[in-house]
Amino acid sequence: MRGAHGGPRVLLRRLREVMAEPVSAQDRLDKIVVLIAANMVAEVCSVYVMRADNDLELFATEGLNREAVHRTTMKAGEGLVGLIAKEAEPLSLSDAQSHPSFSYKPETGEEVYHSFLGVPILRGGNTLGVVVVQNKAYRVYAEEELEALQTTAMVLAEMIASGELQPIGPAGESGGIAARRPLHQAGTALSDGIGLGHVVLHQPRVVIKNLIAEDPEAEIRRLEAAIAEVRDNVDRLLERGDVAHHGEHRDVLETVRMFANDQGWLRRIREVVMTGLTAEAAVERVQSDNRAKLMRQTDPYLRERLHDLDDLAHRVLKALTGGRIVPARDALPENAIVVARAMGPAALLDYERSRIRGLVLEEGGPTSHIAIVARALGIPAVSEVPNATSLVEAGDAIIVDGQAGEVQIRPPVDIEAAYAEKARMRARKQEQYRALRDVAPLTRDGERIGLHINAGLLVDVPHLDDAGAEGVGLFRTELQFMISHRLPTTSDQQGLYAQVLSIANGRPVTFRTLDIGGDKKLPYMDAVEEENPALGWRAIRIGLDRPGLLRSQIRALLRAGAGRPLKIMFPMIGAAWEFDEAKAVVSREVAHLERHGYSVPSRLDLGVMVEIPSLVHQIAEIATRADFLSVGSNDLMQYLFAVDRENRRVANRFDTLSPAMLRTLKAIVDGARPHSCPVTLCGEMGGRPIEALALIAIGYRALSMSPASVGPVKAMLLKLDAAHAARHVAELLAREGSAATLRPQLLAYAEANGIPV
Ligand code: PEP
Ligand code: MG
């Protein structure tokens, strides 16, 4: 049924005129409902906007009692309007009153209308409101009319998201409209610290200036050209194999390519263009519908497809709008909080560090590369915040709590004040720790505890000075490989190691050879599919089986360390013979360099990481062969208890302060002592004061940790009597050996003895 006023295209043209008029948002909305009603030959057109309290408030109407505007509200799920909002699906009924969800609102005078067509107002898949037309007659709305109303809804979505429309009167106490409401989202803590600032979208939303098209045929041609361009680009990236930069991984691109050839997706966009939208508006609309549908899915596979479709839509929009997307880093505000779906470490390093106050991600675990880089840069970060990118608008106020793993979006003033205070308190604490920088790390009974830092990037190394640390106890060399988009050459590696040694300026640095494989994949190397990557071909196992890579790294290390002392250690050694083989590779390289007249390190110490439980039972054999040992408690814990260190579901089952773990750790120091082989511990537990207390008590005298942990650990040990703690822990281990953890007992001990943990 085509209206006498000219159908959807005429409606869109008139809408464009209204949008351009210099009137208030409310006046514009009042005109729009009149236009829609006239165009669709409907007696009623109403717009409901979702408020912060989730109620839907009538914001404008043509045909219903105008007195009801800003008075009538519906709960989400209540009545037909509430149902549409909840399901994010349109509803077309020729006899609305016979629908089980129909709910009568006397103030609107709506009982005389029989047919009903309503569509959700969606943006980025979120429901912002509902637009409805109604007729007295038992009318069946045409497919074309539904399309027209959905297109109009898209225009309304932009108006609502801009925040110009506000509830009036008593409804104003509901906290404004839903699109702009404060949100508290829980995620996973990635990097400690509190950041207050404003949203910068890592992938800025494409700003669509023209929603309404002049010439649909021309729009179809633009659309096809843009999709062809995206297809070509993706093909080229895949051919080149250079897909590591900015976290663009091969499988993502493969899926994007698949969807770009998907006829259903393309047909749907073409249909929407034919209703009168520009190509970019059509892509956005179809994607918003897809999001709304897929977000309500619980199947993780389907939800994953949502990301792939988002990615494709973004690429097509970029192609359509040409240079109109401003890259975020060019226009970075002073206090930027970067919000992204996912991000590679290289992309984070591209930002101007001094302007970044925080990072919020939808995906990425605590041991992901991005997390390691965020920690190295001291950027508070939270991940696994569902749907983060579509809950915010660029410029929104936002707070990242990297300690609790929480995000506050558009926080109310009192919340913002509380966080500002929390941030100030932390700064004061940091100041107190800085004051300890030059204090000798001696326990009350005079035991010296070596405090070292863990590092992996050049930016980490200057932390030696801020933290007042003795040296770098663990330099994770794989980070250079992970953030690079091609395999670093021997001279790239040598360059980095030499710079690290120069910045360390005589303080010892323990370089760990490449620890890749398992979950640490290098995008430019062919991934080996394994059933059990954590137990598979990784670290030194790859190094010994493919000695080319290990040789080139050893050569780079030896050259960088020429004329000065050098320390190298090997990860994931499971048996003494593996260390013998690794040492043989080093000896051959030393001989090679000497033969060719290069100078070699003035002293070379070779160490072993103790992180596979089998090694605990060969400590004597290892301690007699190695110059030093370093306990990797992260992996040791993972293999001892068979708990995946990344899997949150099992994370709380076992504790590092359990008798089993403490006895294992004690066996290592005790076993190495008769051989005068020094032992350090470089896993995360060494950086937590209560755990460090336990480690000192069982005999550890050197710990390596993230730079931010040095202050708190030092503050703890200055108040600790090591001999007293040793007796207490020995007693606890003897007495409470069957406890799941000794944490409560150790916390009580610290409390009773005035030790800050
Ligand atoms: C460990 O396993 O404890 C360790 C320090 O190494 P990584 O965390 O790099 O595996
Ligand atoms: Mg490890």
Side-chain angles (χ1 to χ4, degrees):
M1 176 168 173
R2 170 67 62 91
H5 293 73
R9 249 188 254 151
V10 176
L11 170 61
L12 288 181
R13 212 172 307 132
R14 296 292 314 278
L15 263 178
R16 187 165 55 186
E17 288 158 18
V18 173
M19 294 302 285
E21 284 176 25
V23 294
S24 75
Q26 181 67 49
D27 287 349
R28 202 174 297 148
L29 194 62
D30 290 340
K31 288 189 181 194
I32 289 175
V33 290
V34 174
L35 259 183
I36 298 173
N39 182 275
M40 296 182 68
V41 200
E43 281 96 24
V44 173
C45 174
S46 314
V47 171
Y48 297 81
V49 175
M50 190 177 272
R51 297 191 319 214
D53 57 3
N54 268 341
D55 283 2
L56 289 145
E57 176 175 323
L58 181 65
F59 260 60
T61 186
E62 164 70 3
L64 294 187
N65 187 352
R66 271 179 202 275
E67 296 288 295
V69 170
H70 291 303
R71 291 229 175 89
T72 289
T73 57
M74 304 269 199
K75 297 257 168 255
E78 182 197 4
L80 299 175
V81 171
L83 182 68
I84 293 168
K86 184 163 148 243
E87 305 286 333
E89 293 273 5
L91 195 60
S92 175
L93 302 167
S94 56
D95 182 10
Q97 284 156 44
S98 66
H99 191 283
S101 288
F102 181 81
S103 131
Y104 173 57
K105 294 273 170 179
E107 72 273 22
T108 60
E110 85 181 321
E111 69 272 39
V112 290
Y113 303 106
H114 292 288
S115 47
F116 174 104
L117 174 65
V119 306
I121 301 173
L122 296 175
R123 191 158 189 273
N126 296 314
T127 303
L128 306 188
V130 174
V131 53
V132 173
V133 294
Q134 289 171 280
N135 279 79
K136 282 186 185 140
Y138 292 90
R139 170 178 169 185
V140 178
Y141 295 96
E143 187 61 32
E144 197 187 32
E145 290 173 307
L146 171 62
E147 285 288 351
L149 199 59
Q150 283 185 296
T151 296
T152 318
M154 195 173 160
V155 177
L156 294 171
E158 291 299 317
M159 274 179 75
I160 297 172
S162 73
E164 292 168 283
L165 291 165
Q166 282 303 325
I168 296 173
E173 288 151 26
S174 55
I177 59 168
R180 313 290 313 141
R181 77 180 128 195
L183 287 173
H184 166 225
Q185 299 290 105
T188 302
L190 284 196
S191 171
D192 200 5
I194 291 181
L196 291 89
H198 293 276
V199 170
V200 168
L201 285 165
H202 177 54
Q203 214 175 45
R205 222 166 266 141
V206 177
V207 183
I208 300 176
K209 296 255 167 58
N210 297 324
L211 291 168
I212 301 156
E214 305 266 2
D215 174 2
E217 298 300 333
E219 292 303 312
I220 294 280
R221 285 194 296 276
R222 285 182 63 228
L223 176 71
E224 289 186 340
I227 290 175
E229 184 185 326
V230 169
R231 250 188 236 141
D232 283 355
N233 278 342
V234 171
D235 284 347
R236 220 169 320 122
L237 277 173
L238 281 168
E239 265 161 39
R240 262 208 333 244
D242 172 17
V243 292
H245 207 55
H246 297 242
E248 296 196 295
H249 288 285
R250 177 164 280 272
D251 42 350
V252 174
L253 289 174
E254 297 276 12
T255 329
V256 166
R257 173 154 70 180
M258 185 186 87
F259 278 114
N261 289 304
D262 182 280
Q263 289 309 316
W265 188 76
L266 294 173
R267 192 177 340 105
R268 184 79 197 104
I269 298 177
R270 277 195 213 103
E271 278 167 13
V272 175
V273 170
M274 291 316 287
T275 68
L277 283 187
T278 57
E280 51 268 43
V283 172
E284 171 97 355
R285 212 199 95 188
V286 169
Q287 187 49 16
S288 192
D289 290 351
N290 282 332
R291 276 195 84 99
K293 280 198 199 87
L294 292 173
M295 272 161 53
R296 285 165 175 75
Q297 286 288 341
T298 44
D299 179 343
Y301 175 79
L302 287 174
R303 291 184 65 106
E304 195 50 43
R305 300 287 72 74
L306 167 65
H307 292 327
D308 299 331
L309 273 172
D310 266 344
D311 208 63
L312 174 60
H314 189 79
R315 282 167 202 271
V316 175
L317 286 174
K318 245 165 56 176
L320 279 166
T321 50
R324 224 174 289 150
I325 307 175
V326 190
R329 36 204 149 275
D330 292 355
L332 212 56
E334 281 294 333
N335 48 4
I337 306 258
V338 178
V339 182
R341 197 182 84 217
M343 202 191 222
L348 182 59
L349 288 165
D350 278 352
Y351 281 95
E352 162 83 45
R353 166 67 191 96
S354 63
R355 289 169 182 258
I356 306 283
R357 297 278 176 276
L359 176 66
V360 178
L361 299 174
E362 291 180 13
E363 296 161 18
T367 54
S368 61
H369 316 157
I370 184 78
I372 294 167
V373 173
R375 257 174 261 147
L377 296 173
I379 298 173
V382 174
S383 79
E384 286 165 358
V385 180
N387 210 20
T389 51
S390 53
L391 295 174
V392 297
E393 297 288 328
D396 277 352
I398 185 168
I399 298 170
V400 180
D401 183 342
Q403 191 178 4
E406 291 175 358
V407 175
Q408 302 280 351
I409 299 168
R410 297 179 287 269
V413 276
D414 49 340
I415 300 263
E416 186 168 333
Y419 273 94
E421 180 55 26
K422 201 167 163 186
R424 267 194 299 277
M425 288 279 289
R426 287 178 63 94
R428 224 170 292 147
K429 265 243 161 85
Q430 294 300 331
E431 204 113 305
Q432 287 163 8
Y433 294 139
R434 242 192 310 272
L436 296 180
R437 215 185 63 155
D438 301 317
V439 176
L442 297 174
T443 61
R444 279 180 39 212
D445 52 339
E447 290 288 336
R448 189 183 167 81
I449 313 295
L451 299 180
H452 303 258
I453 62 166
N454 293 345
L457 298 165
L458 211 52
V459 293
D460 290 321
V461 189
H463 290 312
L464 271 174
D465 291 316
D466 326 333
E470 235 161 75
V472 177
L474 165 64
F475 190 90
R476 293 179 162 107
T477 59
E478 61 274 10
L479 285 198
Q480 181 188 26
F481 287 72
M482 286 175 176
I483 65 175
S484 171
H485 38 104
R486 56 172 174 75
L487 191 70
T489 61
T490 309
S491 87
D492 292 339
Q493 298 174 51
Q494 184 185 337
L496 172 68
Y497 306 150
Q499 274 180 284
V500 169
L501 288 168
S502 303
I503 300 174
N505 195 21
R507 283 164 292 192
V509 177
T510 305
F511 290 97
R512 176 176 74 186
T513 62
L514 264 186
D515 187 359
I516 51 165
D519 55 337
K520 296 179 189 165
K521 291 200 177 75
L522 301 182
Y524 42 82
M525 272 174 61
D526 283 339
V528 186
E529 287 298 326
E530 293 181 299
E531 283 282 330
N532 257 316
L535 304 179
W537 199 49
R538 49 177 303 190
I540 195 65
R541 301 168 183 180
I542 301 180
L544 295 176
D545 293 352
R546 290 275 161 81
L549 203 56
L550 181 61
R551 262 204 312 266
S552 117
Q553 184 174 35
I554 299 289
R555 190 168 303 174
L557 283 164
L558 292 170
R559 285 200 198 161
R564 37 190 174 186
L566 182 70
K567 298 176 87 166
I568 301 176
M569 68 176 170
F570 301 95
M572 289 286 155
I573 296 276
W577 63 265
E578 285 186 313
F579 182 52
D580 292 339
E581 282 193 13
K583 275 199 339 190
V585 174
V586 179
S587 304
R588 276 196 295 274
E589 281 311 309
V590 172
H592 174 87
L593 288 177
E594 284 176 331
R595 219 175 22 249
H596 290 84
Y598 288 99
S599 74
V600 291
S602 56
R603 173 193 167 133
L604 184 58
D605 285 327
L606 298 180
V608 171
M609 284 202 69
V610 182
E611 49 187 348
I612 298 185
S614 62
L615 222 54
V616 181
H617 303 286
Q618 309 168 62
I619 282 297
E621 289 81 353
I622 285 294
T624 46
R625 285 169 163 85
D627 297 312
F628 64 94
L629 303 180
S630 186
V631 179
S633 54
N634 304 339
D635 279 312
L636 186 60
M637 173 82 187
Q638 147 160 293
Y639 297 120
L640 189 65
F641 282 103
V643 279
D644 180 346
R645 56 194 267 189
E646 283 271 333
N647 185 339
R648 280 204 286 166
R649 227 178 270 159
V650 292
N652 295 327
R653 291 194 78 79
F654 301 101
D655 194 8
T656 42
L657 293 179
S658 59
M661 183 70 176
L662 291 176
R663 283 179 184 151
T664 305
L665 292 165
K666 189 166 184 311
I668 300 168
V669 257
D670 288 351
R673 200 172 294 116
H675 308 283
S676 304
C677 182
V679 183
T680 308
L681 181 137
C682 62
E684 301 303 320
M685 71 178 292
R688 292 189 284 261
I690 187 68
E691 270 129 305
L693 182 156
L695 289 166
I696 295 170
I698 59 174
Y700 283 80
R701 291 296 176 265
L703 304 171
S704 191
M705 59 196 72
S706 65
S709 299
V710 173
V713 169
K714 198 192 255 188
M716 179 281 294
L717 72 87
L718 292 175
K719 294 274 189 277
L720 178 74
D721 181 329
H724 188 260
R727 281 193 300 276
H728 183 69
V729 172
E731 233 169 72
L732 281 177
L733 280 173
R735 178 158 41 95
E736 313 218 26
S738 63
T741 173
L742 300 180
R743 192 172 292 271
Q745 293 87 329
L746 288 166
L747 286 169
Y749 175 80
E751 165 101 50
N753 290 279
I755 304 164
V757 286

